[in-house]
Amino acid sequence: MVIKELFRKKYYESECSVFEPKLGVLDLTSIGIGAIIGAGIFVITGKVAANYAGPAVVLSFILAGVTTAISALIYSELSTRYPVAGSAYSYTYATLGEILAWLVGWNLVLEYGLSVAAVSAGWSGYMRSILEKELGLSIPKVISGAYEPQKGTYFDLFAFLAVLVVFGLLYRGVKESARVNLFIVMVKLFTLGLFLATGLFFIGIDLSNLTPFIPPPGKNSMGEDAYGWFGILRAASIVIFAYLGFDAVSTVAEEAKNPTKTVPLGIMFAMLISTFLYISVSFTLTGIAPYKELDVAEPLAKAMYMHSHTLIGNIIAIGAIITITSVMITMGLGFTRVVYALARDGLLFSKLAEIHPKYKTPHVATLVGGLFIALIAGFVPLTQLAELVNVGTLFAYFTVGVAVLYLRLKKAPPCGYTVPMAYLLVPINLFLIMLVVSALPALTWKRFLLWCLIGMAIYILYGYKNARRQA
């Protein structure tokens, strides 16, 4: 293995897209919102407020939002320079070379794939709750959760079926998926708007719930160090999961109309809308309910129930199910496009890059990936992997930040959108990423290193020999 070849680059300028450009700014923005706003705002907000930051979870969302917003600017530039499928993987391949590109792509597979499986478990929980509580149905325990014999659960049937349905939709085509996603995004915006209106105007903010805004340092219910400024940072390392997904817009760059303009606009509109909603919802939630009572799976709905707004709570619960569906669609879309890009470049089996003659989708990657993720969703408890998804994704964000600095030092001519004040904003972005991941526990880092070692083994045994380095 020649060391120099590990950093060979792929030149995408001559790449001819096999996809039909169908997506406009509205489609791309809805894809971004669909990926960003999901289980994070409906579940994670309450848990991190209760266990780590208290009302100051608002500051955690701001820190995570600033970090990912700068990353969004970076993705906007690179998506106009390299409007191809593959997102950060393709950008790294074109700038920093093959070995780093493979590690980024391998971690994007982790981000998108495990995110779909983890979110499907949340979808399953909400669905079972409604079926059992509202319709009186009895779901056998053995099929009501992932494989945890000590709890009496062996297979999460609803999560398994949800993933299969989502990937069946993606098999038919991105435009059809985008239309469904646009409808779902409208539902989720209505649901969150209803929560904000009810919380702010009918319930009202109780200042006693916000005092002290930053609780003093101490131990949470799990015996972990929490609250104070460290708690804010620790919460940010978790809630940044809620922002992941804006890069799903860039994975469909080849399917966008006029991608040098529409992709950056789609990314930035999605980030602005999502950040505003996260800050508004977290402030309202901790303002209308004591933060220590929010460590539940449905904190927004519970806050409504606490104030006897049962109907509003039920609407929010149903909206959460619909919202989580949109996340599965967009993250599944990102997964199939990253796998397609890796296979197209020879780093994964070439069969995964086959395009359906009628639907113009990577149908093999969709079928194989869908079945694999559905099985993971059915059998594997994934709550402990949320932080692993975070560290893997932030590794990709860090790498593309370095890629932009490389292009500046190389004095590459501008191509469409460029990050303003890159020599200032990009280093700030890299510092904030390191700051956020520094709060992750040691076990998460060990799992991340293990995942990277598995990826390196695949690269050495298959990818290095079969890589298609020139487009």
Side-chain angles (χ1 to χ4, degrees):
M1 182 181 296
V2 181
I3 297 298
K4 185 177 179 181
E5 289 190 2
L6 297 179
F7 296 93
R8 289 282 296 272
K9 299 178 178 63
K10 181 170 184 181
Y11 302 98
Y12 287 100
E13 288 82 357
S14 61
E15 189 77 40
C16 294
S17 175
V18 298
F19 296 111
E20 181 181 352
K22 300 178 179 180
L23 306 177
V25 173
L26 183 60
D27 294 317
L28 296 170
T29 301
S30 69
I31 286 173
I33 294 175
I36 297 169
I37 299 179
I41 201 167
F42 283 99
V43 180
I44 292 178
T45 305
K47 289 186 174 294
V48 295
N51 293 312
Y52 297 105
V57 67
V58 172
L59 300 180
S60 301
F61 272 113
I62 292 174
L63 174 58
V66 171
T67 303
T68 50
I70 300 176
S71 292
L73 295 176
I74 292 170
Y75 271 76
S76 295
E77 172 173 333
L78 294 174
S79 67
T80 60
R81 184 177 291 275
Y82 310 108
V84 294
S87 187
Y89 157 72
S90 297
Y91 310 153
T92 307
Y93 210 157
T95 54
L96 302 178
E98 183 174 287
I99 185 66
L100 288 175
W102 164 251
L103 286 175
V104 167
W106 184 239
N107 278 288
L108 288 179
V109 170
L110 176 75
E111 174 196 350
Y112 290 119
L114 293 187
S115 291
V116 173
V119 168
S120 72
W123 186 95
S124 173
Y126 274 107
M127 180 59 70
R128 291 196 310 271
S129 178
I130 289 179
L131 292 177
E132 292 174 345
K133 294 179 181 178
E134 300 298 327
L135 300 181
L137 298 179
S138 179
I139 309 299
K141 195 166 186 178
V142 293
I143 60 170
S144 64
Y147 185 77
E148 293 181 285
Q150 68 277 16
K151 295 182 179 180
T153 60
Y154 290 85
F155 185 72
D156 193 334
L157 179 63
F158 286 92
F160 175 80
L161 294 177
V163 173
L164 288 184
V165 170
V166 165
F167 276 83
L169 180 64
L170 293 172
Y171 182 89
R172 291 293 303 271
V174 63
K175 186 61 181 179
E176 289 74 13
S177 304
R179 285 173 177 167
V180 173
N181 184 65
L182 178 59
F183 166 75
I184 294 173
V185 166
M186 293 299 104
V187 172
K188 87 169 56 175
L189 293 179
F190 167 79
T191 303
L192 295 175
L194 179 63
F195 172 80
L196 291 173
T198 305
L200 293 174
F201 298 107
F202 291 96
I203 298 175
I205 299 298
D206 184 347
L207 294 179
S208 65
N209 291 328
L210 300 174
T211 306
F213 187 71
I214 303 177
K219 299 288 185 179
N220 60 22
S221 61
M222 297 176 288
E224 300 174 327
D225 291 330
Y227 309 111
W229 289 102
F230 173 77
I232 294 172
L233 180 60
R234 182 73 178 89
S237 73
I238 300 173
V239 302
I240 205 165
F241 176 81
Y243 284 98
L244 305 185
F246 72 82
D247 50 333
V249 178
S250 61
T251 65
V252 293
E254 289 186 39
E255 294 150 275
K257 302 173 185 176
N258 194 10
T260 59
K261 292 184 179 180
T262 57
V263 172
L265 286 174
I267 290 175
M268 295 313 301
F269 284 153
M271 279 297 299
L272 288 172
I273 294 170
S274 301
T275 301
F276 169 77
L277 288 171
Y278 275 130
I279 294 171
S280 301
V281 168
S282 59
F283 174 78
T284 303
L285 179 63
T286 54
I288 64 177
Y291 67 88
K292 289 191 175 181
E293 297 184 24
L294 297 174
D295 188 13
V296 294
E298 67 290 347
L300 273 64
K302 180 179 180 179
M304 295 294 106
Y305 297 145
M306 289 172 63
H307 292 279
S308 300
H309 288 277
T310 305
L311 177 60
I312 302 298
N314 289 338
I315 293 174
I316 290 173
I318 295 173
I321 293 176
I322 298 174
T323 291
I324 292 172
T325 302
S326 76
V327 175
M328 287 193 290
I329 291 173
T330 50
M331 299 307 279
L333 179 63
F335 172 84
T336 60
R337 271 39 178 186
V338 170
V339 171
Y340 163 78
L342 290 170
R344 177 182 62 184
D345 293 341
L347 296 171
L348 283 178
F349 301 110
S350 59
K351 191 77 173 176
L352 296 173
E354 284 190 6
I355 300 297
H356 194 282
K358 179 180 178 181
Y359 301 126
K360 303 299 180 183
T361 59
H363 62 113
V364 178
T366 303
L367 290 175
V368 175
L371 179 59
F372 179 69
I373 294 172
L375 290 172
I376 291 177
F379 284 108
V380 184
L382 293 170
T383 54
Q384 296 181 3
L385 295 179
E387 290 174 333
L388 179 59
V389 174
N390 282 5
V391 69
T393 307
L394 289 173
F395 169 74
Y397 291 178
F398 188 92
T399 305
V400 296
V402 173
V404 165
L405 288 180
Y406 170 80
L407 291 171
R408 292 296 188 278
L409 294 173
K410 187 182 175 184
K411 299 188 183 303
C415 181
Y417 176 84
T418 58
V419 177
M421 299 182 293
Y423 285 114
L424 174 64
L425 290 181
V426 176
I428 290 175
N429 176 246
L430 300 181
F431 169 76
L432 290 176
I433 289 174
M434 290 189 292
L435 179 66
V436 169
V437 298
S438 69
L440 291 170
L443 182 59
T444 298
W445 286 102
K446 292 177 181 178
R447 289 169 173 166
F448 170 67
L449 291 175
L450 176 61
W451 178 256
C452 289
L453 288 174
I454 294 172
M456 285 303 301
I458 294 174
Y459 175 75
I460 292 171
L461 296 175
Y462 180 84
Y464 175 78
K465 299 176 183 178
N466 295 279
R468 193 171 149 249
R469 296 180 174 88
Q470 290 299 117

